[in-house]
Amino acid sequence: MKVSIDPDKCEGHGRCFSTAPAVFDSDDLGQGIVIGDGTVPADQEELVRLCEQNCPEYAIEITE
Amino acid sequence: MTISKPPVEDFATDFDHTDPEWVANPFPIWDDLRERCPVAHTERYGGAWLPTRYADVSAIAHDTEHFTSRTVVIGNGRPGEDAPPAPMGVAPPISSDPPFHAIARRLMQPAFAPKAIGPYEDFTRKLCARLLDPFVGKSQIDISKDYAEHIPTLVIAHMVGFPQEDEERFREFVHTILEAVDKPVEERIEDFQPIMEYFEARINEHIEDPRDDLTSFLLNAEIAGQPLAPEHIFGTMVLLIVAGIDTTWSAIGSSLWHLAQHPEEAQRLRDEPELMPLAIEEFLRAYAPVNMARLVKEDFDYNGCPMKKDDWILLSFPAANRDPEVFEDPDQVIIDRKVNRHAAFGLGIHRCLGSNLARMEMRVAIEEFLARFDSFSLADPDDVEFSQGQVRGVRKAVVNLG
């Protein structure tokens, strides 16, 4: 699984980096960013799906 | 005095967010409208529209082409010619439109990013302890008046560098700006005078004696190498004080009011503290405090609604959060709800700048309350008061302790 954030959609709600802090972080403006190259460890996949389902701006994209 | 108004006959054609029925319990009104008339209208306030479906609230929140944020609080007048016009508006960045909005917002974002908010948790926790400790061993506490109303007020005063002892005045400012919206325009203008004088005095103190706080930060800030316009500094200062107070006060109050009626859920949060982040998102969804407003820029047909220039839109994020199209069992508060794409902090470019601060204050306030009181329950469910206006929350709720 790979995950990315569309920076044009992200408004910094923070649902991703608070739900899955091993995968997402916030930048100095508070916008969501993906840690590393976006490859999701197996034990984080469920949390990342939840982030995708909770992002108010539909900014998170998952590719399997 | 307020203008005396007839009671609302039909919320589909005559809605009023200050009507006592709405103030007491708006949820059945929104549920009815969502089914029957998903974009309601009123002639009150010079003409306003109310979308209640998530899809419409989201579409309008994201549409800065047809809707302006020039003012975000519905009143009987429209912004006068002497008020700063779009794209800056009276309180940037909340009142700003593109392209200026992005500049004004970017300026403030680092101060409210998670990494900047973290250091205020210790101040908040000590404040909560100071407020609650005198009630340990007592039989009752008012969760709003004795606790929730003080937390965001004193935290934001600390952040902007205003005197802690002025906290009562800040709540008066909030009342004047956000609650007394049905007063005649002339009275509203008169009521704003002492607010302007207070802020000018604090700004002047900071010009003479700069400090490490948000006021001095704004005074030193630059856009394209130029200091901010005085009306920009003033507007943002008012925004920081006003937007941070009754919103989070409401969210903390509603959360504790809910837990006071569901002691089994309070116990579950004590036993399973890892559920706290989910519970906070659910309280934010179910009891979202903030309704925003927009003005229609030009005559425009929205899905068959003939919107006129300068009509208000009451952008009800709380109504969107109860839409069964988006949320399963929306009227059930499920403290471990996992799928919860709520819009409590707004949608689009005006997402609440203080959302990270609000979440931190909610979490700390609930944790400290649960840690001190093993059991608590609402003393009299009928003796609970809610605020009037676009920010909804508990203003009086006495709970029995132990």
Side-chain angles (χ1 to χ4, degrees):
Chain A
M1 181 194 277
K2 289 201 78 162
V3 68
S4 63
I5 294 176
D6 182 341
D8 292 332
K9 290 183 180 171
C10 176
E11 296 290 355
H13 289 260
R15 300 293 295 278
C16 57
F17 54 74
S18 54
T19 301
V23 178
F24 301 100
D25 197 358
S26 58
D27 67 13
D28 289 342
L29 295 177
Q31 299 291 100
I33 48 173
V34 172
I35 298 169
D37 71 351
T39 303
V40 179
D43 64 353
Q44 293 288 315
E45 288 186 358
E46 198 186 326
L47 276 181
V48 169
R49 282 203 183 86
L50 202 55
C51 294
E52 190 267 332
Q53 290 173 304
N54 282 336
C55 175
E57 305 295 346
Y58 293 82
I60 295 175
E61 284 163 36
I62 292 174
T63 46
E64 305 276 349
Chain B
M1 59 170 271
T2 55
I3 301 170
S4 100
K5 293 185 288 188
V8 170
E9 289 294 326
D10 182 348
F11 279 90
T13 54
D14 184 37
F15 76 83
D16 189 336
H17 59 300
T18 65
D19 186 84
E21 187 184 339
W22 176 301
V23 172
N25 187 11
F27 304 112
I29 298 170
W30 297 335
D31 290 346
D32 171 56
L33 290 176
R34 221 180 276 113
E35 289 288 313
R36 187 162 62 91
C37 178
V39 183
H41 182 256
T42 187
E43 294 293 338
R44 297 173 192 236
Y45 304 101
W49 302 86
L50 168 67
T52 48
R53 289 183 180 166
Y54 188 103
D56 288 318
V57 171
S58 173
I60 293 172
H62 285 100
D63 184 351
T64 56
E65 187 189 339
H66 295 102
F67 304 96
T68 171
S69 288
R70 193 157 56 101
T71 62
V72 290
V73 183
I74 292 180
N76 288 314
R78 296 292 184 275
E81 285 174 3
D82 55 339
M88 187 167 97
V90 292
I94 200 171
S95 62
S96 308
D97 291 329
F100 183 78
H101 167 269
I103 298 166
R105 183 176 172 89
R106 194 185 166 89
L107 191 71
M108 299 307 298
Q109 274 179 299
F112 288 91
K115 292 174 178 68
I117 292 306
Y120 293 107
E121 178 164 338
D122 186 50
F123 177 91
T124 308
R125 201 171 288 284
K126 285 179 178 147
L127 166 63
C128 292
R130 184 161 59 77
L131 292 167
L132 289 178
D133 282 343
F135 289 92
V136 174
K138 297 274 173 57
S139 60
Q140 288 192 324
I141 185 171
D142 185 326
I143 52 179
S144 178
K145 292 183 200 303
D146 295 325
Y147 190 49
E149 72 171 35
H150 303 287
I151 298 165
T153 319
L154 292 170
V155 172
I156 198 68
H158 174 62
M159 290 175 74
V160 300
F162 284 11
Q164 297 272 298
E165 54 271 25
D166 288 349
E167 71 156 316
E168 188 60 42
R169 298 199 65 176
F170 304 148
R171 281 190 296 275
E172 282 167 22
F173 298 163
V174 170
H175 176 77
T176 300
I177 293 173
L178 297 181
E179 294 198 324
V181 293
D182 51 358
K183 277 189 165 186
V185 175
E186 306 73 47
E187 274 187 52
R188 296 269 290 154
I189 290 170
E190 209 170 291
D191 291 348
F192 271 71
Q193 279 306 318
I195 299 178
M196 294 182 69
E197 284 163 20
Y198 180 88
F199 278 86
E200 273 171 20
R202 297 292 85 70
I203 288 168
N204 286 334
E205 283 169 8
H206 280 77
I207 290 171
E208 285 162 24
D209 177 18
R211 300 147 214 196
D212 181 19
D213 58 31
L214 287 178
T215 304
S216 288
F217 166 78
L218 271 173
L219 288 167
N220 292 327
E222 292 182 347
I223 292 178
Q226 297 295 316
L228 305 188
E231 59 268 28
H232 185 157
I233 294 171
F234 173 78
T236 299
M237 292 305 306
V238 174
L239 173 66
L240 290 179
I241 284 287
V242 167
I245 290 182
D246 63 336
T247 49
T248 310
W249 164 11
S250 296
I252 294 168
S254 297
S255 304
L256 292 173
W257 169 72
H258 176 89
L259 290 172
Q261 295 167 90
H262 299 87
E264 72 290 354
E265 291 176 9
Q267 191 54 45
R268 196 167 167 215
L269 288 177
R270 284 187 203 92
D271 296 340
E272 302 170 64
E274 67 279 9
L275 291 182
M276 189 63 83
L278 291 177
I280 284 172
E281 297 307 323
E282 180 65 344
F283 294 144
L284 284 164
R285 181 194 71 80
Y287 304 115
V290 182
N291 300 270
M292 273 294 145
R294 298 285 187 268
L295 283 167
V296 177
K297 281 188 184 174
E298 303 290 343
D299 291 5
F300 158 65
D301 182 284
Y302 177 81
N303 286 352
C305 301
M307 296 180 174
K308 300 285 179 213
K309 181 178 194 282
D310 283 348
D311 278 354
W312 296 105
I313 309 290
L314 182 55
L315 206 50
S316 182
F317 298 111
N321 282 354
R322 298 277 186 136
D323 185 346
E325 285 285 315
V326 180
F327 302 96
E328 211 172 309
D329 297 325
D331 290 324
Q332 297 291 314
V333 177
I334 302 166
I335 59 166
D336 59 353
R337 188 187 288 268
K338 290 191 173 61
V339 177
N340 187 357
R341 206 192 297 269
H342 71 77
F345 291 113
L347 294 169
I349 63 169
H350 291 283
R351 184 270 305 167
C352 171
L353 184 68
S355 61
N356 300 302
L357 175 63
R359 282 194 175 95
M360 182 275 281
E361 291 179 7
M362 285 178 75
R363 175 171 52 76
V364 170
I366 297 169
E367 282 173 358
E368 293 299 309
F369 199 92
L370 290 173
R372 273 174 189 71
F373 305 115
D374 292 337
S375 71
F376 58 96
S377 59
L378 203 55
D380 179 0
D382 294 326
D383 189 22
V384 174
E385 289 170 14
F386 288 90
S387 53
Q388 168 192 300
Q390 284 174 223
V391 178
R392 182 173 195 273
V394 173
R395 293 293 175 268
K396 180 191 176 192
V398 176
V399 302
N400 294 325
L401 301 171

